[in-house]
Amino acid sequence: MKRFAFVLAMLCTACCQAETGYELWLRYQPIANAQYLNACKSLIRSYEVHGTSPTLQAASAELERGLKGMLRISLPRTNPGSIILAKPEHLLSFPNTIKTTLQKTGTEGFIIKTISIDNKKRILISGNTDQAILYGVFHFLRLIQTAQNIHSLDIISIPRSALRLLNHWDNLNRTIERGYAGFSLWQWNNLPACVDQRIIDYARANASIGINGTVLTNVNANALILTDPFLQKVKALADVFRVYGIKTYLTARFSAPIENGNLKTADPLDPAVRAWWKKKVDSIYQLIPDFGGFLVKANSEGQPGPQDYGRTHADGANMLAEALAPHNGIVMWRAFVYSHTSEDRFKQAYEEFKPLDGKFNANVLVQVKNGPIDFQPREPFSPLFGSMPGTPLMMEFQLTQEYLGQGTHLVYEAPLFREVLDADTYANGKGNPVSSTLSGFAGVANIGNDLNWCGHPFAQSNWYALGRLSWDQQLSSEEIAREWIKQTFTTTPAFVEPVLDMMMHSREWLVNYMTPLGLTHIMYNDHHYGPMPWGNSLGRPDWNPVYYHKADSAGIGFNRTSSGSNALSQYAAQVRQQFEQIDTCPDDYLLWFHHASWDHTMQSGRSLWNELCYRYHTATDSVRQMQQQWKSLRRFVDPERFRHVEQLLAIQASEAAWWRDACLLYFQTFSRKPFPAGYEPPAHDLEYYKNLHIRLTY
Ligand code: GCV
């Protein structure tokens, strides 16, 4: 009995060692399954690498590190090795089929193939560049971390999109706009002399999921970043990122020629302004030869832009594009614009950008948020997707959970991403999903200097998902989640399956306890944490929740059909048809497009009022069940991460109830209907919720 207790204690120590979450999905834990371990060891004894570039050194170091962790072996370099890292020019004696395959993999794609040399199995990891080989190494390590059979490999992986970026909304004082995981990773005061290990680990993590670009600074930009001392600091970071195939980008404040250059204007058609930008860009490339380019937020939420001078977004973007073009740099010009003059904020981006289609220079991409408003828990896709055939578009997703429970709610966002990517735009007829209209991907980063990078341990999955999905838009949310869980926690099915279930439902539950049935933007003013559907005090109508839900005694929702703002006319006819008729509009989008009566019969058969109550209540109950589910998994997780998630789930459960009670009590003042029988009564009255003054320090 004593012996059994001892063995159990040893096992628990082995599988549940203290962990901070710092290692992300690159934990490389010892393989516990002896059979799998032996199978790997029989194939992997040594490796050979052809070339000495910093990128290949990083690939070799990662391979050694990963296999040391998982197989507990120090991997010697031999020739031939059982793993071969080589580009095509080193494969002259190899079968032609391999070289032919590599002709198709471009600059970033890789192959992992089992081959036989001297009657021995070897694993070839190859690609046309060192960066491709690095990606191949990370993929190979992922196969082992997720316990895949590596006996007979024949993998070709080519990214479907060339631009796969993170956008950091990091300020130069190291605060992060909408950041919930600490301060910025970029230690501007210590740079360029000191580049800490964290920068290398950030680059490793990104390379492991195929992210190949990072915008370091907030779109609400500070021109200081474009001054020489700061550019030296940027160079120090770029020198690290380059090793991992990551290009560095900056945000460009449109008025920088005035602020930094003492010019009287930033008019994009002014020759002195154009010359200033050209010189500035040339000087950046002197320091950072592979600089990626600029991301720009212009004439939006108070940011300066070309419209200040009566010019268009195209005039502004093209001026920067001209300066960048000789260096192969790009401009990512954001379409997130709205103003108080627009009768429906939904329509504005399309109204401003659609007429400019085809007028942007070749190295400009227009970067569009996934939905027409602002990263809400559920939005229809932006009507710009599919409407700008003459302009390359980038998708902007928000990883940081500004409107999705911020740092405390467990929400796996891949189902949201997939929903948008899979929506058919009907551009040129059926079968043109949003994903087919894209030339690049950007995720607004959820990364800070918290020990575990993302604040909530599960928020790491959203960073992971952005990388994996931008590489391969065919991957399902479920596949990505499985990979992430196995690498981040354990491959044990008794853990993987229930956690997968939690993750896969989490976004839908959040929609239903926050903004069910197409409700939009009913969050608390400014910081957007918590419910405030009654909000009506801000200076502009479209900053106030009441503008979005339009609840009154007749019903609730925003009429965007032809009898209302007609925003639906911005979509292709087939999309419009899906939403235009109140009786056929899907329940999940009803209040996005219709002002529906409280008695309206939903597709579920319930009345609108009863459906609203049903959704708020069942989602809150589901979060409580998720809390219980997690508690039952204690034995699979180290105590630190287990407890962290447990505590956050307690917050989430109580906040789901807060959302439910505050919203239902408020909407009841319009519907004047009773809560259906059998539901838990609200914990407080409406005045209580209205008097909660939620002050956050970020
Ligand atoms: C960076 C929303 C956010 C702002 C953000 C803006 C944007 O309005 O609340 O913090 O500013 O989007 O995407 O530019």
Side-chain angles (χ1 to χ4, degrees):
M1 192 62 196
K2 259 188 184 166
R3 203 182 141 154
F4 175 71
F6 175 74
V7 171
L8 197 67
M10 290 306 288
L11 271 175
C12 282
T13 326
C15 72
C16 303
Q17 264 170 12
E19 291 201 44
T20 60
Y22 182 86
E23 303 296 338
L24 294 160
W25 46 87
L26 300 174
R27 290 163 59 248
Y28 305 135
Q29 289 297 294
I31 295 171
N33 177 326
Q35 205 183 345
Y36 185 64
L37 179 64
N38 288 336
C40 291
K41 279 185 160 173
S42 71
L43 290 166
I44 301 170
R45 293 166 307 277
S46 63
Y47 78 110
E48 67 178 270
V49 53
H50 295 263
T52 55
S53 74
T55 302
L56 281 179
Q57 286 177 37
S60 305
E62 198 69 33
L63 192 66
E64 288 183 23
R65 175 188 188 140
L67 296 176
K68 183 167 188 183
M70 293 186 286
L71 310 188
R72 280 167 272 176
I73 54 168
S74 291
L75 201 66
R77 276 169 74 158
T78 57
N79 204 341
S82 51
I83 300 175
I84 303 168
L85 310 185
K87 292 201 288 278
E89 59 263 35
H90 303 114
L91 304 177
L92 295 178
S93 58
F94 281 54
N96 275 337
T97 48
I98 292 181
K99 284 170 253 162
T100 315
T101 307
L102 284 166
Q103 280 164 9
K104 297 181 217 142
T105 55
T107 53
E108 295 184 301
F110 58 83
I111 62 167
I112 306 179
K113 196 166 171 55
T114 305
I115 53 175
S116 176
I117 301 178
D118 303 336
N119 284 329
K120 282 208 180 108
K121 277 195 171 182
R122 297 174 199 279
I123 297 167
L124 171 68
I125 303 180
S126 184
N128 295 311
T129 62
D130 297 340
Q131 186 184 343
I133 293 175
L134 177 67
Y135 288 146
V137 165
F138 275 116
H139 191 84
F140 179 64
L141 293 171
R142 175 160 50 238
L143 295 177
I144 302 180
Q145 280 213 90
T146 53
Q148 309 290 306
N149 186 339
I150 57 163
H151 221 256
S152 183
L153 295 169
D154 192 5
I155 293 172
I156 306 177
S157 184
I158 306 168
R160 289 168 194 265
S161 174
L163 292 168
R164 309 179 299 276
L165 272 70
L166 287 180
N167 288 183
H168 288 267
W169 286 357
D170 292 16
N171 299 311
L172 299 187
N173 65 4
R174 299 192 63 203
T175 57
I176 303 179
E177 183 152 354
R178 311 304 179 185
Y180 313 108
F183 289 93
S184 171
L185 298 180
W186 328 132
Q187 303 202 43
W188 297 114
N189 285 349
N190 301 358
L191 288 164
C194 174
V195 183
D196 63 334
Q197 176 63 32
R198 189 132 200 186
I199 300 304
I200 300 170
D201 290 336
Y202 164 85
R204 285 177 53 234
N206 278 328
S208 76
I209 51 175
I211 285 173
N212 67 358
T214 182
V215 184
L216 300 181
T217 44
N218 192 352
V219 287
N220 291 329
N222 187 332
L224 204 57
I225 195 69
L226 299 177
T227 59
D228 293 342
F230 268 89
L231 288 171
Q232 293 288 349
K233 298 169 193 281
V234 173
K235 171 189 161 41
L237 295 175
D239 286 346
V240 174
F241 297 153
R242 183 175 306 115
V243 173
Y244 291 88
I246 299 166
K247 280 192 179 181
T248 302
Y249 300 75
L250 293 173
T251 47
R253 185 162 166 86
F254 204 77
S255 51
I258 302 173
E259 288 156 45
N260 294 355
N262 284 324
L263 298 189
K264 295 246 167 331
T265 176
D267 182 349
L269 300 193
D270 184 293
V273 172
R274 299 175 84 81
W276 186 88
W277 277 111
K278 191 170 176 341
K279 196 162 162 220
K280 177 54 64 186
V281 166
D282 290 347
S283 75
I284 296 176
Y285 279 92
Q286 289 272 315
L287 289 172
I288 309 167
D290 60 341
F291 180 66
F294 292 133
L295 170 66
V296 187
K297 171 175 177 178
N299 293 120
S300 168
E301 298 185 329
Q303 290 301 298
Q307 291 175 348
D308 302 346
Y309 307 94
R311 314 298 184 196
T312 67
H313 288 291
D315 294 329
N318 291 343
M319 170 192 62
L320 296 176
E322 261 179 45
L324 289 158
H327 309 281
N328 298 321
I330 61 168
V331 177
M332 294 160 289
W333 192 269
R334 293 177 87 227
F336 177 68
V337 291
Y338 63 98
S339 76
H340 58 287
T341 51
S342 176
E343 47 143 357
D344 179 359
R345 173 172 165 184
F346 186 115
K347 291 161 64 174
Q348 192 163 347
Y350 181 98
E351 283 168 350
E352 282 191 31
F353 280 86
K354 168 75 182 155
L356 298 176
D357 187 26
K359 300 208 166 104
F360 292 96
N361 286 8
N363 58 334
V364 177
L365 296 104
V366 171
Q367 183 164 309
V368 184
K369 287 189 182 182
N370 59 273
I373 300 292
D374 193 9
F375 299 137
Q376 295 302 294
R378 167 165 282 124
E379 296 200 30
F381 68 87
S382 163
L384 280 170
F385 298 118
S387 303
M388 304 269 290
T391 310
L393 298 184
M394 274 186 81
M395 168 64 74
E396 183 176 309
F397 286 127
Q398 193 179 42
L399 311 182
T400 192
Q401 293 168 229
E402 176 179 356
Y403 297 98
L404 279 75
Q406 302 189 356
T408 50
H409 292 213
L410 188 165
V411 184
Y412 173 52
E413 294 181 309
L416 183 162
F417 304 159
R418 274 251 67 97
E419 181 176 289
V420 177
L421 295 174
D422 293 342
D424 199 340
T425 64
Y426 287 90
N428 308 317
K430 195 170 163 46
N432 285 286
V434 169
S435 59
S436 71
T437 70
L438 299 176
S439 301
F441 285 81
V444 178
N446 58 357
I447 302 161
N449 70 351
D450 272 10
L451 207 46
N452 73 2
W453 304 85
C454 298
H456 197 304
F458 276 77
Q460 296 176 356
S461 66
N462 296 327
W463 177 7
Y464 186 83
L466 189 272
R468 296 290 287 133
L469 255 187
S470 1
W471 181 281
D472 183 357
Q473 286 105 66
Q474 303 298 316
L475 286 174
S476 71
S477 310
E478 192 173 312
E479 283 172 276
I480 296 170
R482 261 182 212 285
E483 278 181 5
W484 179 80
I485 299 167
K486 288 180 178 174
Q487 295 171 97
T488 306
F489 292 104
T490 169
T491 54
T492 309
F495 179 83
V496 174
E497 295 309 316
V499 173
L500 179 70
D501 188 66
M502 286 165 47
M503 289 174 72
M504 289 301 293
H505 287 100
S506 58
R507 183 273 187 142
E508 202 58 37
W509 291 334
L510 175 118
V511 168
N512 285 327
Y513 67 71
M514 280 192 182
T515 53
L517 306 179
L519 283 170
T520 315
H521 217 304
I522 54 174
M523 291 77 188
Y524 210 90
N525 285 345
D526 302 326
H527 55 60
H528 302 148
Y529 193 87
M532 199 194 223
W534 48 84
N536 195 15
S537 61
L538 296 181
R540 280 174 47 167
D542 56 359
W543 283 342
N544 287 310
V546 297
Y547 167 91
Y548 294 98
H549 63 68
K550 303 206 184 301
D552 57 21
S553 58
I556 181 169
F558 200 131
N559 181 357
R560 294 190 165 99
T561 67
S562 48
S563 65
S565 78
N566 207 14
L568 275 171
S569 66
Q570 296 182 335
Y571 289 108
Q574 297 91 326
V575 179
R576 201 160 71 224
Q577 273 159 24
Q578 289 166 18
F579 300 117
E580 179 80 26
Q581 300 306 322
I582 192 165
D583 291 327
T584 49
C585 179
D587 286 356
D588 285 341
Y589 292 90
L590 186 75
L591 307 182
W592 267 101
F593 297 114
H594 297 274
H595 188 72
S597 143
W598 295 108
D599 293 320
H600 170 77
T601 305
M602 306 292 291
Q603 281 156 5
S604 66
R606 297 183 191 91
S607 71
L608 168 54
W609 171 248
N610 283 356
E611 181 73 19
L612 207 59
C613 296
Y614 172 79
R615 298 266 184 134
Y616 273 116
H617 276 276
T618 47
T620 305
D621 293 346
S622 300
V623 174
R624 289 172 179 163
Q625 280 154 21
M626 168 161 72
Q627 212 186 343
Q628 294 315 314
Q629 178 72 277
W630 181 255
K631 281 186 198 296
S632 75
L633 299 170
R634 182 187 298 268
R635 68 188 187 283
F636 298 109
V637 188
D638 52 287
E640 288 74 12
R641 289 187 299 166
F642 178 80
R643 183 135 178 73
H644 194 186
V645 174
E646 186 183 37
Q647 290 175 347
L648 292 170
L649 285 174
I651 298 177
Q652 185 172 359
S654 95
E655 292 191 350
W658 170 29
W659 268 92
R660 177 197 67 191
D661 293 347
C663 292
L664 286 177
L665 284 167
Y666 170 71
F667 291 130
Q668 191 181 40
T669 64
F670 300 98
S671 79
R672 309 229 164 255
K673 292 181 182 300
F675 295 131
Y679 288 136
E680 181 179 297
H684 305 278
D685 63 11
L686 179 58
E687 285 315 298
Y688 169 89
Y689 294 108
K690 284 187 165 179
N691 286 324
L692 286 177
H693 295 291
I694 311 301
R695 293 201 178 83
L696 298 180
T697 47
Y698 47 76

